[in-house]
Amino acid sequence: MKRSIVAILSSGALLTTLAGGAFLASCNQRGNYEGVDGETLYKRACLSCHGKDGRAMAGGAPSYRGIRKDWDEEKLLGYIDNPQRYKRANRPPRLGKRYMPPVDRRMPEDARRRLIAHVLGLMDALEVPSD
């Protein structure tokens, strides 16, 4: 059977037929984020470097432990959008020399806020009690 690709753009959807199979996906990928909770978004975007609970993976990103005081929702929105630019402009403490990649630019702001709420919750859970 000859492989054919047919793309039809209609009401924000891309329909691609390949070897008789059909795949429907949102053009702006918004459908990949609608109704997805922050924990699931974290698993998709952050888990491989920051670990399940924000304690970091070996050779990965730094732990979230003890940094909650330095971050809030708006700062994290700026950071995940463009980590390199944010680090140069704001010089946040305890960020290593490496840069994390920005989150998927197609992720809508409401999904970014759900992701950040989850990250802030992990930071809160890892807070070091003051003596």
Side-chain angles (χ1 to χ4, degrees), residues 8 10-17 21-27 29 31-32:
I8 301 168
S10 165
S11 13
L14 177 65
L15 178 64
T16 303
T17 305
F23 174 68
L24 182 65
S26 167
C27 286
Q29 301 299 311
N32 291 337

Side-chain angles (χ1 to χ4, degrees), residues 8-79:
I8 301 168
L9 197 54
S10 165
S11 13
L14 177 65
L15 178 64
T16 303
T17 305
L18 180 60
F23 174 68
L24 182 65
S26 167
C27 286
N28 66 5
Q29 301 299 311
R30 184 167 182 83
N32 291 337
Y33 301 104
E34 285 185 22
V36 179
D37 67 6
E39 181 178 7
T40 302
L41 293 169
Y42 179 86
K43 287 176 182 176
R44 289 181 187 174
C46 312
L47 181 109
S48 63
C49 294
H50 289 283
K52 180 180 163 191
D53 58 3
R55 294 181 192 269
M57 303 294 284
S63 171
Y64 296 150
R65 185 176 176 88
I67 64 170
R68 178 62 172 96
K69 67 186 177 305
D70 301 318
W71 295 98
D72 61 28
E73 184 180 39
E74 293 306 313
K75 288 178 182 178
L76 279 173
L77 273 174
Y79 183 65

Side-chain angles (χ1 to χ4, degrees), residues 103-122:
V103 297
D104 184 348
R105 298 211 186 278
R106 298 168 294 188
M107 183 186 292
E109 185 176 339
D110 59 325
R112 289 171 185 246
R113 289 188 184 277
R114 290 191 305 272
L115 170 62
I116 287 168
H118 183 73
V119 169
L120 291 172
L122 293 175

